[in-house]
Amino acid sequence: MPPAHPFDTSALRDVGDDDKLKEECGVFGVIGVADASNFVALGLHALQHRGQEAGGIVSHDADQGFQSARRFGYVRDNFTSQKIMETLPGPLAIGHVRYSTTGSKGQTAIRDVQPFFGEFAMGGAAIAHNGNITNANALRRELIERGSIFQSSSDSECIIHLMARSLQRTIPERMEDALRRVEGAFSVVAMTRTKLIGVRDPLGVRPLVLGRVGDGWALSSETCALDIIGAEFIREIAPGEMVVISKDGIDSQFPFRPQKSRFCIFEHVYFSRPDSILGGRSVYETREAIGRELAKEAPVEADLVCPVPDSGTPAAIGYSLASGIPYAMGIIRNQYMGRTFIEPTEQIRNMGVRLKLNVNRALIAGKRVILVDDSVVRGTTSRKIKEMILDAGAKEVHFRIASPPTAWPCFYGVDTPQREKLLAATMSEEEMRDHLQVDSLKFISLDGLYRAVGEAQGRNQDQPQYCDACFSGEYPVEPADQIESGFEMKAAE
């Protein structure tokens, strides 16, 4: 086979983003509008940051029944085609953008791409899921032993099989029955021939919001996707809530045992788009508040505050405002690079970060620079960025990180490296500073992060207000499959 062209962007893994936690997935659904699939395609485009590997849409039309299209790659490269969109008619549709957190990571098969569809005695249903089922292996074994035949490697398919085996009369009742068996995190958007359904797990780990679009309704992972279709944001789906939307209106119920909410705090730090609203708060304003808190906790004398684009930008602005140190775009991102890059040689691989980010030398030379980033996972990208800044003539490099050290993997819908590959799992803050070879390195404290997201008293140690397992090692739902595979939970203090 001839060697791949170094600027062929059609395959392999992300470059420069390999040191970030991968977004989970995005879900979107619309009912009660003409050509609902077009609205879904727009919504998925706005949620593209939550998954870039693949996307899918299922629609229903009274004459043509259920129709589906699943494709690899960006929404813009697939679901802007009139030819494809004409195959998805009807006033009801749901969609999903995927980053694989289970199944064959990086080698997604088309059968793993959601939404999944099932034909039941009372009619068909499609389902799209954001999150991770922590008892999926046990459920899959049980279902296979009872005769289920799985088509994908995704944990989400378990929900369809559990629905198929349920003895309940209606599809919403079967879904409710199935989800009671599921552990972990799930925000689900589903559809029947006449209904749009949205469900959040009892802890509300992953987001799901409701919007009004014309005479119809929309469900979305984030409010920014409602904005793109001109929908009015109505409210968040509550933790443990199930809404069933039809031409008769919205039916809301709470089918699960009530639990205290544990929304993912990292949605505020990184995953969600800065123009979204979470828990009644602007994500942008929260990230700016994180920067302000970081400036109070970890001041340092310097000449410039520079974000690591793009996720570090609001926190860097907050740090600058609180510290009085000028803000500057010391690193420029190439917006046209895309998310993937063929890496045929070591030389090209080492160019990876420079292909995405370039240092603004005129600003940096001779300056003491504070670099603000959202997280440090493996540390590989941080080291490369530090080297670029020094190569540009910086006098000092100080890292300020807008999240606490990521020391534990996430099992609720985020692709986290194995624990031993997380820098903070094996090193102290000082050891990480030495490893990255920077003048100083400081992370925001867990209490500081909680204050920035609106918890004035910080973290409640007895009943944490958020899921912060990636920082604390305290998992609100025991990751049964991982423990069975040998994962060791944090020892009780």
Side-chain angles (χ1 to χ4, degrees), residues 224-265:
C224 65
L226 299 178
D227 297 337
I228 200 173
I229 64 167
E232 177 191 1
F233 170 48
I234 302 298
R235 65 177 178 88
E236 293 186 358
I237 303 302
E241 182 181 12
M242 180 176 187
V243 293
V244 181
I245 308 170
S246 66
K247 60 180 175 54
D248 300 320
I250 299 178
D251 175 57
S252 169
Q253 51 192 295
F254 290 82
F256 311 108
R257 179 174 60 84
Q259 298 184 52
K260 192 173 183 301
S261 171
R262 294 289 296 275
F263 182 64
C264 169
I265 201 165

mmCIF file of all heavy atoms in Angstrom, residues 224-265:
data_model
loop_
_atom_site.group_PDB
_atom_site.id
_atom_site.type_symbol
_atom_site.label_atom_id
_atom_site.label_comp_id
_atom_site.label_asym_id
_atom_site.label_seq_id
_atom_site.Cartn_x
_atom_site.Cartn_y
_atom_site.Cartn_z
ATOM 1 N N CYS A 224 -27.023 25.395 23.238
ATOM 2 C CA CYS A 224 -26.475 26.011 22.027
ATOM 3 C C CYS A 224 -27.079 25.401 20.769
ATOM 4 O O CYS A 224 -27.172 26.065 19.733
ATOM 5 C CB CYS A 224 -24.951 25.903 22.000
ATOM 6 S SG CYS A 224 -24.324 24.210 21.894
ATOM 7 N N ALA A 225 -27.494 24.136 20.847
ATOM 8 C CA ALA A 225 -28.099 23.480 19.688
ATOM 9 C C ALA A 225 -29.554 23.919 19.494
ATOM 10 O O ALA A 225 -30.084 23.838 18.387
ATOM 11 C CB ALA A 225 -28.020 21.960 19.829
ATOM 12 N N LEU A 226 -30.202 24.374 20.555
ATOM 13 C CA LEU A 226 -31.539 24.969 20.405
ATOM 14 C C LEU A 226 -31.421 26.309 19.694
ATOM 15 O O LEU A 226 -32.251 26.658 18.862
ATOM 16 C CB LEU A 226 -32.192 25.163 21.781
ATOM 17 C CG LEU A 226 -32.442 23.916 22.624
ATOM 18 C CD1 LEU A 226 -33.057 24.301 23.966
ATOM 19 C CD2 LEU A 226 -33.343 22.921 21.894
ATOM 20 N N ASP A 227 -30.366 27.055 20.029
ATOM 21 C CA ASP A 227 -30.174 28.376 19.427
ATOM 22 C C ASP A 227 -30.065 28.287 17.907
ATOM 23 O O ASP A 227 -30.614 29.123 17.191
ATOM 24 C CB ASP A 227 -28.906 29.038 19.978
ATOM 25 C CG ASP A 227 -28.972 29.295 21.476
ATOM 26 O OD1 ASP A 227 -30.092 29.385 22.007
ATOM 27 O OD2 ASP A 227 -27.903 29.399 22.113
ATOM 28 N N ILE A 228 -29.367 27.284 17.416
ATOM 29 C CA ILE A 228 -29.088 27.208 15.976
ATOM 30 C C ILE A 228 -30.360 26.981 15.158
ATOM 31 O O ILE A 228 -30.432 27.378 14.000
ATOM 32 C CB ILE A 228 -28.036 26.096 15.686
ATOM 33 C CG1 ILE A 228 -27.379 26.313 14.328
ATOM 34 C CG2 ILE A 228 -28.650 24.717 15.753
ATOM 35 C CD1 ILE A 228 -26.226 25.368 14.033
ATOM 36 N N ILE A 229 -31.398 26.381 15.761
ATOM 37 C CA ILE A 229 -32.656 26.159 15.033
ATOM 38 C C ILE A 229 -33.711 27.192 15.419
ATOM 39 O O ILE A 229 -34.874 27.070 15.037
ATOM 40 C CB ILE A 229 -33.208 24.726 15.250
ATOM 41 C CG1 ILE A 229 -33.588 24.478 16.712
ATOM 42 C CG2 ILE A 229 -32.217 23.686 14.755
ATOM 43 C CD1 ILE A 229 -34.408 23.214 16.929
ATOM 44 N N GLY A 230 -33.309 28.189 16.209
ATOM 45 C CA GLY A 230 -34.255 29.234 16.602
ATOM 46 C C GLY A 230 -35.271 28.776 17.622
ATOM 47 O O GLY A 230 -36.366 29.342 17.712
ATOM 48 N N ALA A 231 -34.912 27.754 18.398
ATOM 49 C CA ALA A 231 -35.838 27.239 19.409
ATOM 50 C C ALA A 231 -35.702 28.023 20.714
ATOM 51 O O ALA A 231 -34.633 28.531 21.039
ATOM 52 C CB ALA A 231 -35.568 25.759 19.667
ATOM 53 N N GLU A 232 -36.782 28.110 21.451
ATOM 54 C CA GLU A 232 -36.774 28.758 22.764
ATOM 55 C C GLU A 232 -36.412 27.722 23.831
ATOM 56 O O GLU A 232 -37.022 26.653 23.903
ATOM 57 C CB GLU A 232 -38.150 29.345 23.067
ATOM 58 C CG GLU A 232 -38.259 29.973 24.444
ATOM 59 C CD GLU A 232 -39.685 30.311 24.832
ATOM 60 O OE1 GLU A 232 -40.613 30.035 24.030
ATOM 61 O OE2 GLU A 232 -39.885 30.842 25.945
ATOM 62 N N PHE A 233 -35.414 28.037 24.625
ATOM 63 C CA PHE A 233 -35.038 27.151 25.733
ATOM 64 C C PHE A 233 -36.122 27.236 26.809
ATOM 65 O O PHE A 233 -36.409 28.302 27.341
ATOM 66 C CB PHE A 233 -33.674 27.583 26.290
ATOM 67 C CG PHE A 233 -33.283 26.915 27.582
ATOM 68 C CD1 PHE A 233 -33.391 25.543 27.738
ATOM 69 C CD2 PHE A 233 -32.795 27.660 28.654
ATOM 70 C CE1 PHE A 233 -33.026 24.924 28.921
ATOM 71 C CE2 PHE A 233 -32.425 27.056 29.843
ATOM 72 C CZ PHE A 233 -32.536 25.686 29.982
ATOM 73 N N ILE A 234 -36.728 26.088 27.111
ATOM 74 C CA ILE A 234 -37.794 26.051 28.108
ATOM 75 C C ILE A 234 -37.245 25.695 29.489
ATOM 76 O O ILE A 234 -37.410 26.437 30.453
ATOM 77 C CB ILE A 234 -38.907 25.051 27.710
ATOM 78 C CG1 ILE A 234 -39.491 25.438 26.336
ATOM 79 C CG2 ILE A 234 -39.997 24.987 28.778
ATOM 80 C CD1 ILE A 234 -40.154 26.801 26.284
ATOM 81 N N ARG A 235 -36.560 24.548 29.574
ATOM 82 C CA ARG A 235 -36.017 24.125 30.865
ATOM 83 C C ARG A 235 -35.121 22.914 30.669
ATOM 84 O O ARG A 235 -35.094 22.310 29.592
ATOM 85 C CB ARG A 235 -37.141 23.771 31.847
ATOM 86 C CG ARG A 235 -37.972 22.555 31.432
ATOM 87 C CD ARG A 235 -39.018 22.223 32.483
ATOM 88 N NE ARG A 235 -39.863 21.103 32.125
ATOM 89 C CZ ARG A 235 -39.585 19.826 32.380
ATOM 90 N NH1 ARG A 235 -38.436 19.505 32.965
ATOM 91 N NH2 ARG A 235 -40.430 18.862 32.053
ATOM 92 N N GLU A 236 -34.381 22.567 31.710
ATOM 93 C CA GLU A 236 -33.627 21.320 31.706
ATOM 94 C C GLU A 236 -34.563 20.168 32.060
ATOM 95 O O GLU A 236 -35.488 20.335 32.863
ATOM 96 C CB GLU A 236 -32.485 21.376 32.727
ATOM 97 C CG GLU A 236 -31.403 22.370 32.378
ATOM 98 C CD GLU A 236 -30.216 22.311 33.331
ATOM 99 O OE1 GLU A 236 -30.260 21.520 34.295
ATOM 100 O OE2 GLU A 236 -29.249 23.058 33.111
ATOM 101 N N ILE A 237 -34.335 19.007 31.457
ATOM 102 C CA ILE A 237 -35.000 17.794 31.939
ATOM 103 C C ILE A 237 -34.358 17.488 33.295
ATOM 104 O O ILE A 237 -33.141 17.489 33.436
ATOM 105 C CB ILE A 237 -34.796 16.618 30.959
ATOM 106 C CG1 ILE A 237 -35.318 16.997 29.556
ATOM 107 C CG2 ILE A 237 -35.480 15.353 31.478
ATOM 108 C CD1 ILE A 237 -36.770 17.403 29.498
ATOM 109 N N ALA A 238 -35.171 17.261 34.298
ATOM 110 C CA ALA A 238 -34.649 17.081 35.655
ATOM 111 C C ALA A 238 -33.995 15.707 35.795
ATOM 112 O O ALA A 238 -34.355 14.756 35.089
ATOM 113 C CB ALA A 238 -35.783 17.229 36.671
ATOM 114 N N PRO A 239 -33.032 15.565 36.708
ATOM 115 C CA PRO A 239 -32.479 14.238 36.986
ATOM 116 C C PRO A 239 -33.586 13.249 37.348
ATOM 117 O O PRO A 239 -34.469 13.565 38.156
ATOM 118 C CB PRO A 239 -31.554 14.492 38.175
ATOM 119 C CG PRO A 239 -31.149 15.923 38.038
ATOM 120 C CD PRO A 239 -32.362 16.619 37.498
ATOM 121 N N GLY A 240 -33.566 12.082 36.703
ATOM 122 C CA GLY A 240 -34.581 11.065 36.976
ATOM 123 C C GLY A 240 -35.911 11.297 36.292
ATOM 124 O O GLY A 240 -36.860 10.534 36.504
ATOM 125 N N GLU A 241 -36.000 12.318 35.437
ATOM 126 C CA GLU A 241 -37.274 12.631 34.774
ATOM 127 C C GLU A 241 -37.356 11.957 33.416
ATOM 128 O O GLU A 241 -36.355 11.798 32.715
ATOM 129 C CB GLU A 241 -37.414 14.144 34.597
ATOM 130 C CG GLU A 241 -38.742 14.557 33.962
ATOM 131 C CD GLU A 241 -38.888 16.056 33.749
ATOM 132 O OE1 GLU A 241 -37.865 16.772 33.878
ATOM 133 O OE2 GLU A 241 -40.011 16.501 33.453
ATOM 134 N N MET A 242 -38.585 11.581 33.057
ATOM 135 C CA MET A 242 -38.880 11.046 31.725
ATOM 136 C C MET A 242 -40.005 11.885 31.126
ATOM 137 O O MET A 242 -41.076 12.016 31.727
ATOM 138 C CB MET A 242 -39.311 9.581 31.821
ATOM 139 C CG MET A 242 -39.648 8.933 30.492
ATOM 140 S SD MET A 242 -40.041 7.166 30.734
ATOM 141 C CE MET A 242 -40.167 6.621 29.045
ATOM 142 N N VAL A 243 -39.746 12.492 29.961
ATOM 143 C CA VAL A 243 -40.795 13.252 29.283
ATOM 144 C C VAL A 243 -41.194 12.513 28.009
ATOM 145 O O VAL A 243 -40.342 12.018 27.278
ATOM 146 C CB VAL A 243 -40.347 14.695 28.950
ATOM 147 C CG1 VAL A 243 -40.156 15.499 30.220
ATOM 148 C CG2 VAL A 243 -39.089 14.731 28.106
ATOM 149 N N VAL A 244 -42.486 12.423 27.778
ATOM 150 C CA VAL A 244 -43.027 11.816 26.559
ATOM 151 C C VAL A 244 -43.823 12.894 25.840
ATOM 152 O O VAL A 244 -44.831 13.389 26.362
ATOM 153 C CB VAL A 244 -43.916 10.597 26.884
ATOM 154 C CG1 VAL A 244 -44.443 9.980 25.588
ATOM 155 C CG2 VAL A 244 -43.147 9.561 27.693
ATOM 156 N N ILE A 245 -43.346 13.283 24.652
ATOM 157 C CA ILE A 245 -43.938 14.404 23.919
ATOM 158 C C ILE A 245 -44.692 13.868 22.708
ATOM 159 O O ILE A 245 -44.148 13.090 21.916
ATOM 160 C CB ILE A 245 -42.843 15.386 23.460
ATOM 161 C CG1 ILE A 245 -41.943 15.788 24.633
ATOM 162 C CG2 ILE A 245 -43.467 16.615 22.818
ATOM 163 C CD1 ILE A 245 -40.706 16.568 24.220
ATOM 164 N N SER A 246 -45.932 14.271 22.563
ATOM 165 C CA SER A 246 -46.761 13.872 21.420
ATOM 166 C C SER A 246 -47.584 15.071 20.984
ATOM 167 O O SER A 246 -47.444 16.174 21.525
ATOM 168 C CB SER A 246 -47.680 12.706 21.808
ATOM 169 O OG SER A 246 -48.628 13.157 22.779
ATOM 170 N N LYS A 247 -48.478 14.868 20.036
ATOM 171 C CA LYS A 247 -49.337 15.969 19.577
ATOM 172 C C LYS A 247 -50.257 16.455 20.687
ATOM 173 O O LYS A 247 -50.795 17.567 20.621
ATOM 174 C CB LYS A 247 -50.149 15.541 18.361
ATOM 175 C CG LYS A 247 -51.077 14.361 18.583
ATOM 176 C CD LYS A 247 -51.840 14.033 17.308
ATOM 177 C CE LYS A 247 -52.694 12.787 17.448
ATOM 178 N NZ LYS A 247 -53.637 12.777 18.565
ATOM 179 N N ASP A 248 -50.422 15.635 21.716
ATOM 180 C CA ASP A 248 -51.285 16.015 22.840
ATOM 181 C C ASP A 248 -50.546 16.842 23.888
ATOM 182 O O ASP A 248 -51.150 17.294 24.861
ATOM 183 C CB ASP A 248 -51.863 14.759 23.507
ATOM 184 C CG ASP A 248 -52.693 13.925 22.544
ATOM 185 O OD1 ASP A 248 -53.435 14.541 21.736
ATOM 186 O OD2 ASP A 248 -52.594 12.690 22.571
ATOM 187 N N GLY A 249 -49.228 17.010 23.727
ATOM 188 C CA GLY A 249 -48.475 17.789 24.694
ATOM 189 C C GLY A 249 -47.369 16.966 25.338
ATOM 190 O O GLY A 249 -46.919 15.950 24.791
ATOM 191 N N ILE A 250 -46.944 17.404 26.531
ATOM 192 C CA ILE A 250 -45.827 16.772 27.234
ATOM 193 C C ILE A 250 -46.330 16.095 28.497
ATOM 194 O O ILE A 250 -46.995 16.711 29.330
ATOM 195 C CB ILE A 250 -44.742 17.806 27.614
ATOM 196 C CG1 ILE A 250 -44.176 18.460 26.349
ATOM 197 C CG2 ILE A 250 -43.619 17.151 28.403
ATOM 198 C CD1 ILE A 250 -43.137 19.521 26.639
ATOM 199 N N ASP A 251 -45.987 14.821 28.637
ATOM 200 C CA ASP A 251 -46.267 14.081 29.861
ATOM 201 C C ASP A 251 -44.945 13.885 30.596
ATOM 202 O O ASP A 251 -43.993 13.349 30.034
ATOM 203 C CB ASP A 251 -46.899 12.725 29.542
ATOM 204 C CG ASP A 251 -47.084 11.871 30.789
ATOM 205 O OD1 ASP A 251 -47.758 12.333 31.717
ATOM 206 O OD2 ASP A 251 -46.506 10.764 30.847
ATOM 207 N N SER A 252 -44.878 14.328 31.831
ATOM 208 C CA SER A 252 -43.648 14.220 32.622
ATOM 209 C C SER A 252 -43.879 13.281 33.798
ATOM 210 O O SER A 252 -44.909 13.355 34.472
ATOM 211 C CB SER A 252 -43.225 15.599 33.133
ATOM 212 O OG SER A 252 -42.196 15.478 34.102
ATOM 213 N N GLN A 253 -42.901 12.395 34.038
ATOM 214 C CA GLN A 253 -42.983 11.503 35.185
ATOM 215 C C GLN A 253 -41.578 11.220 35.706
ATOM 216 O O GLN A 253 -40.587 11.478 35.031
ATOM 217 C CB GLN A 253 -43.684 10.207 34.808
ATOM 218 C CG GLN A 253 -43.132 9.521 33.577
ATOM 219 C CD GLN A 253 -44.045 8.416 33.086
ATOM 220 O OE1 GLN A 253 -44.240 7.430 33.781
ATOM 221 N NE2 GLN A 253 -44.600 8.571 31.888
ATOM 222 N N PHE A 254 -41.525 10.704 36.926
ATOM 223 C CA PHE A 254 -40.246 10.395 37.577
ATOM 224 C C PHE A 254 -40.266 8.921 37.975
ATOM 225 O O PHE A 254 -40.664 8.576 39.092
ATOM 226 C CB PHE A 254 -40.029 11.304 38.783
ATOM 227 C CG PHE A 254 -39.752 12.734 38.410
ATOM 228 C CD1 PHE A 254 -40.794 13.607 38.115
ATOM 229 C CD2 PHE A 254 -38.455 13.201 38.311
ATOM 230 C CE1 PHE A 254 -40.542 14.916 37.747
ATOM 231 C CE2 PHE A 254 -38.183 14.505 37.949
ATOM 232 C CZ PHE A 254 -39.237 15.371 37.663
ATOM 233 N N PRO A 255 -39.826 8.036 37.065
ATOM 234 C CA PRO A 255 -39.979 6.595 37.284
ATOM 235 C C PRO A 255 -38.919 5.960 38.175
ATOM 236 O O PRO A 255 -39.038 4.788 38.512
ATOM 237 C CB PRO A 255 -39.896 6.024 35.868
ATOM 238 C CG PRO A 255 -39.058 7.003 35.113
ATOM 239 C CD PRO A 255 -39.335 8.338 35.707
ATOM 240 N N PHE A 256 -37.876 6.700 38.541
ATOM 241 C CA PHE A 256 -36.780 6.102 39.297
ATOM 242 C C PHE A 256 -36.800 6.558 40.756
ATOM 243 O O PHE A 256 -37.369 7.592 41.088
ATOM 244 C CB PHE A 256 -35.428 6.481 38.674
ATOM 245 C CG PHE A 256 -35.368 6.272 37.195
ATOM 246 C CD1 PHE A 256 -35.368 7.353 36.321
ATOM 247 C CD2 PHE A 256 -35.320 4.990 36.657
ATOM 248 C CE1 PHE A 256 -35.321 7.167 34.959
ATOM 249 C CE2 PHE A 256 -35.264 4.791 35.294
ATOM 250 C CZ PHE A 256 -35.269 5.884 34.440
ATOM 251 N N ARG A 257 -36.142 5.788 41.591
ATOM 252 C CA ARG A 257 -36.015 6.174 42.988
ATOM 253 C C ARG A 257 -35.254 7.495 43.079
ATOM 254 O O ARG A 257 -34.156 7.623 42.539
ATOM 255 C CB ARG A 257 -35.269 5.076 43.758
ATOM 256 C CG ARG A 257 -35.056 5.365 45.236
ATOM 257 C CD ARG A 257 -34.446 4.150 45.935
ATOM 258 N NE ARG A 257 -33.159 3.775 45.365
ATOM 259 C CZ ARG A 257 -31.994 4.326 45.709
ATOM 260 N NH1 ARG A 257 -31.956 5.306 46.600
ATOM 261 N NH2 ARG A 257 -30.866 3.914 45.159
ATOM 262 N N PRO A 258 -35.821 8.505 43.767
ATOM 263 C CA PRO A 258 -35.166 9.822 43.821
ATOM 264 C C PRO A 258 -33.780 9.740 44.460
ATOM 265 O O PRO A 258 -33.575 9.030 45.441
ATOM 266 C CB PRO A 258 -36.120 10.655 44.693
ATOM 267 C CG PRO A 258 -37.423 9.938 44.649
ATOM 268 C CD PRO A 258 -37.100 8.489 44.502
ATOM 269 N N GLN A 259 -32.829 10.445 43.867
ATOM 270 C CA GLN A 259 -31.481 10.548 44.419
ATOM 271 C C GLN A 259 -31.008 11.989 44.305
ATOM 272 O O GLN A 259 -31.530 12.760 43.509
ATOM 273 C CB GLN A 259 -30.508 9.631 43.653
ATOM 274 C CG GLN A 259 -30.849 8.156 43.739
ATOM 275 C CD GLN A 259 -29.803 7.304 43.035
ATOM 276 O OE1 GLN A 259 -28.612 7.436 43.291
ATOM 277 N NE2 GLN A 259 -30.242 6.427 42.147
ATOM 278 N N LYS A 260 -30.014 12.334 45.085
ATOM 279 C CA LYS A 260 -29.453 13.676 45.028
ATOM 280 C C LYS A 260 -28.679 13.837 43.716
ATOM 281 O O LYS A 260 -27.906 12.978 43.336
ATOM 282 C CB LYS A 260 -28.525 13.903 46.219
ATOM 283 C CG LYS A 260 -28.130 15.359 46.410
ATOM 284 C CD LYS A 260 -27.357 15.526 47.694
ATOM 285 C CE LYS A 260 -27.025 17.008 47.934
ATOM 286 N NZ LYS A 260 -26.240 17.616 46.866
ATOM 287 N N SER A 261 -28.908 14.949 43.039
ATOM 288 C CA SER A 261 -28.269 15.195 41.739
ATOM 289 C C SER A 261 -26.752 15.197 41.863
ATOM 290 O O SER A 261 -26.182 15.674 42.846
ATOM 291 C CB SER A 261 -28.743 16.545 41.198
ATOM 292 O OG SER A 261 -27.994 16.907 40.054
ATOM 293 N N ARG A 262 -26.081 14.631 40.847
ATOM 294 C CA ARG A 262 -24.612 14.643 40.790
ATOM 295 C C ARG A 262 -24.184 14.953 39.349
ATOM 296 O O ARG A 262 -23.536 14.153 38.690
ATOM 297 C CB ARG A 262 -24.041 13.288 41.242
ATOM 298 C CG ARG A 262 -24.284 12.940 42.688
ATOM 299 C CD ARG A 262 -23.467 13.783 43.646
ATOM 300 N NE ARG A 262 -22.039 13.573 43.512
ATOM 301 C CZ ARG A 262 -21.370 12.597 44.122
ATOM 302 N NH1 ARG A 262 -22.006 11.737 44.906
ATOM 303 N NH2 ARG A 262 -20.062 12.482 43.967
ATOM 304 N N PHE A 263 -24.562 16.117 38.861
ATOM 305 C CA PHE A 263 -24.212 16.525 37.498
ATOM 306 C C PHE A 263 -22.697 16.572 37.333
ATOM 307 O O PHE A 263 -21.967 16.913 38.269
ATOM 308 C CB PHE A 263 -24.822 17.901 37.211
ATOM 309 C CG PHE A 263 -24.579 18.407 35.817
ATOM 310 C CD1 PHE A 263 -25.104 17.747 34.720
ATOM 311 C CD2 PHE A 263 -23.828 19.550 35.596
ATOM 312 C CE1 PHE A 263 -24.886 18.203 33.434
ATOM 313 C CE2 PHE A 263 -23.606 20.022 34.308
ATOM 314 C CZ PHE A 263 -24.138 19.350 33.231
ATOM 315 N N CYS A 264 -22.216 16.224 36.151
ATOM 316 C CA CYS A 264 -20.778 16.199 35.855
ATOM 317 C C CYS A 264 -20.196 17.613 35.905
ATOM 318 O O CYS A 264 -20.547 18.465 35.087
ATOM 319 C CB CYS A 264 -20.549 15.585 34.471
ATOM 320 S SG CYS A 264 -18.854 15.782 33.847
ATOM 321 N N ILE A 265 -19.282 17.860 36.846
ATOM 322 C CA ILE A 265 -18.716 19.205 36.986
ATOM 323 C C ILE A 265 -17.797 19.549 35.824
ATOM 324 O O ILE A 265 -17.594 20.721 35.500
ATOM 325 C CB ILE A 265 -17.986 19.344 38.346
ATOM 326 C CG1 ILE A 265 -17.847 20.822 38.719
ATOM 327 C CG2 ILE A 265 -16.630 18.618 38.333
ATOM 328 C CD1 ILE A 265 -17.477 21.073 40.166
#
